[in-house]
Amino acid sequence: MSKVKDIYHKEFLERLADALHKQSSGFDKERFLSLVYSNDWEQLEFKQRVGRITASMHEALPQPYIQALPIIKRTAPEFEGLPGIVFPDYMAQYGTDDWEESMQALRDVTEFSTSEFAIRSFLLKDLNQTLDQMFLWAEDDNEHVRRLASEGSRPRLPWGQTVPYLKEHPERLLPLLEKLLEDESLYVRRSVANHLNDVTKTHPQLVLDIVEQRKGHNENTDWILRHACRTLLKQGNYQALQLFGYHSSDSLHVHQFTLDQSKISIGDSLSFTFQVSAEADTKLRVEYAIDYVKKNGRKSRKVFQASDTTIKTGEEKSFMRNQSFRNMTTRKHYPGTHTLAIIVNGIEKISQDFDLTAPH
């Protein structure tokens, strides 16, 4: 299985060298490739490779930063998607002293890849000035730029440099997000929802107050707010469940909960079935949780959504799910007694243990 760092393969690097040389005849292709591959290239992880490529570009360009910037901007459109983040990374590494020019460059190249990671260097160096710029970007005609305003200021941006102030004071960004709560672009709305979901992990009431004030007035806003509260809903947060209509589960019952095996091996799958019945018409959120045994023998719960629907008085709904216990890069399994629980509208209704053994 290829790793994300492998997007920077030989063909990409040679194409990048050719593209930069085309824009600047003084760009030394051989020196660039020699610098990239020096020493420990194969051992470098993704972000380390980004930094190596950026530094090598800088060394191979004869011009100082401010003169090289137009070359970088002209080359960036040829490299879309994740590999193209080497271009905004160039601004992050070498452009923080040339703030205005770098801001314009980050805005210009973000639609080809994304400047969300690069903007963090500017937030760390000059928070107030950079936030002022991001507030302006939130009103830009380009959806990529509006998304940059939200995504680049996320408190917990994956792969992004940590900006402690954003974690400690998420309320500072609420006026920026307010500009985007009704955005017509799904690309932007996803970012706003992810930003607010980050906030729920440290300041849940801040987000719940927004839901209480804004829910039900705009379809796009409602979509954002629902996705912003996904962590709170998984946690069974009572206020979040109430705000989204998942009321008391006292009238909801789980029957015929059956595991197809009581013992499986790592690498196998576990199938299970159950039924949910209702004494009254109810909005229904059904989840299942697995208490995984960790390497140290302790357990850690992960919640999976099974259904989000409605159920009528006297109705019974049947569910069948299949859960894989194959090792993945994001989850490694360990032998021991695990627990599978059924959760209805935030309340655990029933559970069963099963044994996970070493691979065959």
Side-chain angles (χ1 to χ4, degrees), residues 185-209:
S185 167
L186 180 60
Y187 187 48
V188 175
R189 294 201 302 273
R190 283 200 183 104
S191 176
V192 177
N194 288 336
H195 187 133
L196 288 171
N197 186 56
D198 284 356
V199 176
T200 66
K201 296 171 183 178
T202 51
H203 297 71
Q205 197 57 50
L206 203 62
V207 178
L208 290 168
D209 289 344

Side-chain angles (χ1 to χ4, degrees), residues 36 53 88 152 182 185 199 201 214-215 294 300 321 342:
V36 167
I53 293 168
E182 297 182 7
S185 167
V199 176
K201 296 171 183 178
R214 296 298 302 268
K215 185 175 177 294
K294 308 304 290 181
S300 176
R321 294 293 182 271
I342 305 302

Side-chain angles (χ1 to χ4, degrees), residues 58 61-71 90 94 98:
H58 184 66
L61 283 164
Q63 300 88 344
Y65 173 80
I66 205 67
Q67 295 175 22
L69 203 52
I71 299 167
Y90 184 81
Y94 302 105
D98 297 287

